[in-house]
Amino acid sequence: MDGAVAEPGWKRVYRRLITRKPIEQILREGRKTQMKRTLSRLDLIGVGIGAIIGTGIFVLTGVAAAENAGPAIIVSFIIAGIVSGLSAFSYSELSSMVPISGSAYTYTYATMGEFLAWIIGWDLILEYMVGAATVAVGWSAYIVDFFDDAFNVKFTTKTTGAPVMWDTTNLAFVINKNHYINIPAMFISLLLTAILVLGIRQAAWVNNTVVCIKLVVVLLFIFGACKYVDRKNYSPFVPDRVGNSYGAKGVFKGAQRVFFAYIGFDAVSTAAQEAKDPQKDLPWGICASLGICTVLYIAVSTVLLGIVSYKDLKGVASPISFALEPYHNTRWLRILIELGAICGLSSVILILLMGQPRIFFTMARDGLFPKIFGRLHKKFKTPYVPTLVSGVVCAILAGVLPVDILGDMTSVGTLLAFILVNIGVIIMRYTHPHVARGFRVPWGPFLIPIPGAIIALILLVLSEGPTIYRLFIWLAIGLIVYFAFGYRYSRWTPEDIAYFGDGGMAFEDEDSIMSNGSKELARPVEASFDAYGNPAIAMPTPYHANV
């Protein structure tokens, strides 16, 4: 227009970075999903327990006790459980308000804009991919112990261990002699990747079966090993500080490390579009699974540190079965525990390797990643490209890095996600106060979310310097990728913003409410094919409507 003042370039860039995806549009996309809503409340609790109980309880308990907190790892689990509980309330509110797969990435896009959504999406890629590698290393340790106990078959350390170790005293990598590569960890990563590409996924009853096996194994250890507890192993409960280990600081550093054990309850929110009643059942799935696992973690760590000295657990990747070795008549108990651990860890790897490509896939559909990452396999209808990429990278990480390094990297990534989710609850209370919520964080938008964000930030800061540096390096790489690609190609116009459905003809909902408050009459929309080769339905509301 004549006389119009051109908007300064910096302001235009700023408006782009804070562009928010309208809630109405997110919900509309969710209503178009082709996923079957078959998961009940119990199924969702099973999904949470299935995702939570894994490396944290079977592996990291011993590592964190030996290197950080000693017997006080019990307190570390309580602290980490409280932090997770505060964030679980925030996840519950947002998942009941925005019951769409995408978890923290989707919530951040709706509350804080495209740039922070990219940051958390990039962070979640690290969390899921490195988390799967961590569990794969634990799986390898238990499969080695299982063959030794059950069949007296011993694998050489040259092909079952990482070639490097992390020296917590000098904060540096050291060569792990006579260890070249962890082949079992790479094998399970690639095997489950192949299964996911083929489209084979866990049905609800299979997951529930695996959860029952996990719970039985954990309870067998608690009640079967408690008779071997020696109270002398609890003294000193908080060992004197040595370098960066033990003492009060070691307890909190232990909490930061075992925080990895609680990762997984957020996976419940990614099943939102498959739940029968997501607004009511997702909060139950998140909170109940976290509560059950917290009690089990405290019980397992109490028994474990009572039957073996924390000093003997250093460098042990299978502490539960290791702790039982000195005791007679425990061979079959060790075999059962190892079988349960193998079964349980396999399901966790599968869930993480399934979730990570979905983050890639979702971000590609929003234009933040190249189109090929949003492509479905013509036959299997799976996001095969991101699945293959994630699986191969996971296998490489699992083959060459030790479990403690991988676990720490996953924990700091999750803590960052928790900080933004807690902040998201506060923002949503003011920007969308009237949107229906199946669950509300009790006592207002400040009493729980603010402490949840602050404690998560404290645990993040208490992470070892090199771990923080790795996170910053990862985020710096993400910034380069965003401004080189995502910023330029993220979807802006109504023509770009589309729902990727499976049918050839779709109908707008009769009561579909637009962002401006008006309603559209039901009308057929001819599906056109997008750049991904999938039918697309044009969405009338651009992302920048809420800038």
Side-chain angles (χ1 to χ4, degrees):
M1 292 177 59
D2 293 337
V5 179
E7 185 178 43
W10 68 266
K11 189 172 183 180
R12 185 168 59 254
V13 172
Y14 173 73
R15 287 170 60 84
R16 271 297 302 274
L17 297 182
I18 63 172
T19 296
R20 288 178 291 153
K21 189 173 181 179
I23 291 292
E24 296 90 341
Q25 184 166 305
I26 297 175
L27 295 177
R28 192 182 300 114
E29 292 177 6
R31 287 196 295 268
K32 302 294 185 181
T33 182
Q34 300 296 317
M35 297 180 181
K36 294 182 179 180
R37 296 192 178 275
T38 58
L39 299 180
S40 65
R41 181 174 296 179
L42 286 177
D43 292 329
L44 292 172
I45 295 174
V47 168
I49 296 175
I52 295 172
I53 296 182
T55 296
I57 195 168
F58 290 118
V59 179
L60 290 183
T61 304
V63 175
E67 298 182 358
N68 297 111
I73 194 64
I74 300 168
V75 179
S76 299
F77 268 110
I78 295 174
I79 294 172
I82 293 173
V83 176
S84 300
L86 296 175
S87 297
F89 280 126
S90 296
Y91 265 98
S92 296
E93 175 166 331
L94 291 182
S95 65
S96 68
M97 179 183 177
V98 189
I100 305 297
S101 299
S103 193
Y105 166 74
T106 302
Y107 308 150
T108 306
Y109 214 152
T111 57
M112 287 170 266
E114 180 179 290
F115 179 69
L116 285 179
W118 164 267
I119 292 293
I120 199 60
W122 186 253
D123 175 67
L124 288 174
I125 290 172
L126 174 71
E127 173 190 336
Y128 282 105
M129 185 162 54
V130 179
T134 308
V135 183
V137 174
W139 186 92
S140 173
Y142 274 99
I143 201 73
V144 169
D145 287 347
F146 172 72
F147 273 92
D148 186 11
D149 288 334
F151 308 110
N152 199 28
V153 175
K154 298 183 183 297
F155 291 99
T156 174
T157 58
K158 294 180 179 180
T159 56
T160 57
V164 295
M165 295 180 62
W166 181 250
D167 186 344
T168 56
T169 302
N170 299 315
L171 300 180
F173 282 104
V174 295
I175 300 298
N176 194 8
K177 295 182 179 180
N178 295 322
H179 293 72
Y180 301 123
I181 193 168
N182 196 332
I183 290 179
M186 298 182 71
F187 167 77
I188 189 63
S189 301
L190 295 175
L191 175 63
L192 295 179
T193 298
I195 291 174
L196 289 170
V197 170
L198 294 175
I200 301 174
R201 54 177 300 187
Q202 289 179 308
W205 69 269
V206 173
N207 182 67
N208 291 339
T209 301
V210 172
V211 166
C212 289
I213 294 174
K214 289 183 182 183
L215 294 178
V216 169
V217 166
V218 171
L219 293 175
L220 277 175
F221 173 75
I222 293 172
F223 292 104
C226 63
K227 61 183 178 181
Y228 301 116
V229 170
D230 183 353
R231 294 185 180 179
K232 294 180 181 178
N233 289 323
Y234 294 128
S235 182
F237 188 72
V238 182
D240 294 334
R241 183 173 176 180
V242 178
N244 292 309
S245 301
Y246 312 124
K249 184 177 181 180
V251 173
F252 281 95
K253 287 179 71 67
Q256 182 271 330
R257 174 166 280 184
V258 301
F259 183 77
F260 177 86
Y262 292 94
I263 295 173
F265 71 81
D266 55 327
V268 176
S269 63
T270 64
Q273 290 172 248
E274 297 166 289
K276 293 180 180 178
D277 189 356
Q279 288 191 318
K280 294 182 179 179
D281 293 344
L282 285 176
W284 266 97
I286 292 171
C287 296
S289 61
L290 181 61
I292 292 171
C293 292
T294 299
V295 173
L296 292 177
Y297 282 166
I298 295 171
V300 167
S301 59
T302 301
V303 174
L304 176 64
L305 274 298
I307 66 176
V308 66
S309 171
Y310 69 91
K311 298 177 182 178
D312 297 332
L313 295 174
K314 187 174 181 63
V316 177
S318 53
I320 294 181
S321 58
F322 171 83
L324 291 170
E325 287 181 3
Y327 301 99
H328 297 294
N329 302 319
T330 61
R331 177 171 176 263
W332 285 106
L333 179 58
R334 294 201 309 271
I335 292 174
L336 289 175
I337 289 173
E338 287 155 7
L339 271 175
I342 291 168
C343 182
L345 293 174
S346 298
S347 67
V348 176
I349 300 170
L350 186 66
I351 292 173
L352 292 176
L353 285 179
M354 185 187 302
Q356 199 278 333
R358 287 188 177 186
I359 300 295
F360 254 131
F361 182 78
T362 303
M363 295 176 73
R365 290 301 178 97
D366 288 334
L368 296 175
F369 274 128
K371 296 176 181 178
I372 193 170
F373 288 104
R375 188 183 297 276
L376 292 176
H377 193 281
K378 292 182 179 180
K379 180 179 180 180
F380 304 122
K381 299 301 180 183
T382 57
Y384 67 102
V385 174
T387 300
L388 287 173
V389 171
S390 302
V392 170
V393 174
C394 172
I396 294 173
L397 294 176
V400 300
L401 292 179
V403 66
D404 49 352
I405 290 295
L406 293 169
D408 287 347
M409 290 175 64
T410 307
S411 293
V412 296
T414 305
L415 286 168
L416 180 58
F418 281 13
I419 292 171
L420 292 182
V421 168
N422 280 296
I423 295 174
V425 169
I426 300 173
I427 294 175
M428 281 290 203
R429 287 289 184 95
Y430 287 94
T431 59
H432 297 80
H434 304 300
V435 175
R437 292 166 170 82
F439 176 89
R440 282 180 175 267
V441 174
W443 306 306
F446 301 110
L447 192 57
I448 288 179
I450 289 180
I454 291 175
I455 297 175
L457 179 61
I458 292 173
L459 291 178
L460 182 63
V461 172
L462 285 175
S463 300
E464 291 181 347
T467 302
I468 297 292
Y469 300 153
R470 295 184 200 109
L471 176 62
F472 283 143
I473 290 172
W474 176 254
L475 294 180
I477 295 172
L479 290 178
I480 294 173
V481 175
Y482 174 72
F483 284 107
F485 185 89
Y487 178 82
R488 297 170 59 192
Y489 295 103
S490 61
R491 311 254 180 260
W492 273 80
T493 65
E495 292 76 17
D496 287 328
I497 302 171
Y499 168 77
F500 302 91
D502 295 321
M505 181 74 72
F507 293 85
E508 291 287 346
D509 295 334
E510 184 172 356
D511 295 326
S512 180
I513 302 177
M514 312 307 295
S515 60
N516 61 8
S518 64
K519 293 186 178 182
E520 275 196 348
L521 296 177
R523 69 183 190 282
V525 181
E526 191 68 31
S528 59
F529 289 89
D530 57 31
Y532 302 96
N534 302 310
I537 303 167
M539 301 299 295
T541 309
Y543 284 10
H544 62 285
N546 283 359
V547 175

